[in-house]
Amino acid sequence: MRPADLLPHAPPAVLLESVLEQREDGLVCRGRIPSSSPFVSRGRAPAWVALEMAAQATAVLEALGRLKDRRSPRRRQGYLVRVRGARLAAPSIAAGRALRVLVWVEGVAPPLGIYRVEVRAGRGRILEAVLSTYLGADGT
């Protein structure tokens, strides 16, 4: 399943292209900031856009988990409620460059979740942070 099928976003806001690996404790995705993104100026986007990419990967991980659990509703509104310890390695990111987005489950107590995230370009780390989410009831 494509990440765009699991997110409420529309292009050019969808920053994830594919799920590369799904693990029991997390997810690895490929992302890219499209040159058509309104955040891009002169071929670069602010590095904090990587935070949105990581949040999208977290949403995809949560959605894939709900698809496995047939008792859970398929569509639920999720909210990013906290960003902790965010570190950006540079002020901007080249648009169009393939990025790896990694998400690990740190803890879950529904409806809350805590995830450690990284966005990487090659071997270099662009972003690392801990994201907390709230998953609303069906329809909220």
Side-chain angles (χ1 to χ4, degrees):
M1 185 166 281
R2 297 175 326 130
D5 297 333
L6 300 169
L7 297 169
H9 303 67
V14 177
L15 302 176
L16 298 178
E17 295 178 334
S18 62
V19 173
L20 300 175
E21 184 179 350
Q22 186 175 0
R23 306 172 183 162
E24 190 66 31
D25 68 337
L27 190 69
V28 180
C29 296
R30 181 177 55 239
R32 188 179 316 264
I33 300 170
S35 57
S36 60
S37 169
F39 295 115
V40 174
S41 175
R42 297 184 180 132
R44 300 194 68 82
W48 53 259
V49 175
L51 186 59
E52 172 61 24
M53 190 178 292
Q56 288 182 21
T58 300
V60 167
L61 177 61
E62 289 179 338
L64 289 171
R66 287 191 307 280
L67 288 175
K68 281 184 179 178
D69 183 0
R70 296 183 187 266
R71 296 170 295 157
S72 292
R74 289 183 172 235
R75 293 270 182 200
R76 291 175 71 183
Q77 187 69 42
Y79 302 93
L80 177 63
V81 295
R82 183 176 185 192
V83 177
R84 189 179 63 198
R87 286 185 252 166
L88 297 166
S92 65
I93 305 169
R97 183 174 187 183
L99 304 170
R100 289 177 64 87
V101 186
L102 299 92
V103 179
W104 296 273
V105 177
E106 290 285 302
V108 176
L112 302 172
I114 301 172
Y115 303 90
R116 187 167 38 97
V117 297
E118 289 184 8
V119 176
R120 298 178 183 167
R123 292 183 180 218
R125 191 176 299 147
I126 294 172
L127 165 79
E128 60 182 317
V130 175
L131 305 183
S132 298
T133 62
Y134 171 82
L135 192 59
D138 191 23
T140 63

